[in-house]
């Protein structure tokens, strides 16, 4: 699919609001592709209010949401995939939880079997980007993006 940034944000908010928990989303794509934009939109849809800084330097942020917990992880700075265990990795599939993982390829072997992989392409000159969503395991359907 091809979306602009407002469409990406609207889709993310619908995902956060409509998909049942637990929900694990692995966000893939190059720098500047919109991974953090989509992660924040999903978190807002799940009920997170207030500022949501990038987890690039802290690696993980935990937010209380109206319907449970949202974890936002950025694995870009990991030196070794085994470092994920220090981030609370075992808790990723908590019953009332949304886990959003940027740069999941840094810990590919440890990703949960049930998840969505969403890959974003960089924005073009017309500010459109490509997005693909692939379910793994028993992942629940995602809402379709608005036209």
């Amino acid at each position: 699919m091809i979306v602009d940034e407002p469409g990406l944000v609207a889709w993310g908010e619908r995902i956060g609001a409509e998909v049942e928990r637990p929900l694990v989303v692995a966000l893939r794509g190059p720098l500047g592709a919109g991974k953090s934009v989509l992660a924040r939109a999903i978190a807002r849809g799940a009920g997170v209010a207030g500022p949501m800084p990038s987890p690039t330097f802290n690696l993980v942020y935990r937010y209380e949401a109206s319907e449970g917990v949202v974890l936002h992880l950025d694995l870009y700075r990991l030196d070794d995939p085994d470092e994920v265990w220090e981030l609370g990795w075992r808790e990723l599939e908590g019953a009332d939880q949304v886990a959003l993982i940027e740069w999941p390829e840094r810990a590919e072997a440890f990703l949960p079997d049930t998840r969505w992989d969403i890959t974003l392409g960089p924005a073009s000159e017309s500010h459109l980007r490509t997005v693909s969503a692939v379910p793994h395991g028993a992942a629940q359907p995602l809402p379709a993006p608005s036209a």
Side-chain angles (χ1 to χ4, degrees):
M1 73 183 113
I2 298 177
V3 297
D4 59 10
E5 189 163 317
L8 185 67
V9 170
W11 183 53
E13 289 174 349
R14 287 188 59 213
I15 291 169
E18 296 176 19
V19 177
E20 291 183 27
R21 291 12 170 202
L23 172 63
V24 177
V25 179
L27 297 162
R28 301 173 185 275
L31 286 170
K35 296 180 298 294
S36 293
V37 169
L38 182 57
R40 286 186 187 103
I42 293 170
R44 295 250 183 262
V48 174
M52 294 177 58
S54 171
T56 300
F57 295 104
N58 289 359
L59 302 181
V60 63
Y61 279 113
R62 177 186 170 96
Y63 299 99
E64 296 299 322
S66 57
E67 300 287 329
V69 173
V70 174
L71 293 176
H72 185 188
L73 299 95
D74 186 328
L75 307 182
Y76 184 77
R77 295 180 53 233
L78 288 187
D79 292 323
D80 183 320
D82 284 324
E83 292 177 38
V84 297
W85 303 112
E86 298 170 25
L87 302 176
W89 197 258
R90 286 179 183 85
E91 301 170 16
L92 282 186
E93 296 178 277
D96 63 345
Q97 191 162 276
V98 174
L100 308 166
I101 308 165
E102 295 188 48
W103 300 100
E105 52 278 353
R106 304 279 188 185
E108 195 77 41
F110 300 123
L111 291 174
D113 292 335
T114 297
R115 69 177 189 278
W116 277 93
D117 282 0
I118 297 178
T119 303
L120 296 106
S124 67
E125 289 180 22
S126 60
H127 304 288
L128 298 175
R129 59 179 40 102
T130 60
V131 179
S132 67
V134 177
H136 294 271
Q140 297 181 39
L142 296 181
S146 301

